Amino acid sequence: LRCGRRSEREEPMRDLLLSLHTAHNVWEALKEFTVQEVLSGDNSYQCSTCEALVEAEKGYTIQSLPPILKII
């Protein structure tokens, strides 16, 4: 958040751990999964541009969903 640098990496995921305790359905659980987390204080991010511990946002985006398999 301090210098505007954005760090990204793409990773294929086979499983998503979704919480249905707080969500009413799968779509709400996916929305909660992608909420940005603020990293600050003792949990600050080590920026490779600033070379300092800085406040940052961390989160996930889903680029594509796997094909749905049906077992008959």
Side-chain angles (χ1 to χ4, degrees):
L1 296 174
R2 178 171 145 184
C3 68
R5 182 179 188 283
R6 182 178 180 110
S7 174
E8 295 181 350
R9 81 172 169 234
E10 190 172 316
E11 295 181 19
M13 296 179 75
R14 295 176 54 112
D15 300 310
L16 291 177
L17 298 174
L18 302 177
S19 174
L20 294 176
H21 295 287
T22 57
H24 293 92
N25 56 51
V26 173
W27 295 115
E28 283 185 20
L30 283 170
K31 187 176 178 180
E32 288 178 11
F33 180 78
T34 58
V35 168
Q36 299 287 313
E37 171 189 359
V38 176
L39 304 177
S40 63
D42 290 341
N43 195 28
S44 292
Y45 178 75
Q46 178 72 46
C47 180
S48 59
T49 301
C50 300
E51 297 183 0
L53 288 174
V54 295
E55 185 174 281
E57 292 178 337
K58 174 185 171 183
Y60 297 100
T61 57
I62 299 172
Q63 300 295 325
S64 63
L65 295 174
I68 297 173
L69 302 175
K70 292 184 179 179
I71 300 175
I72 300 176

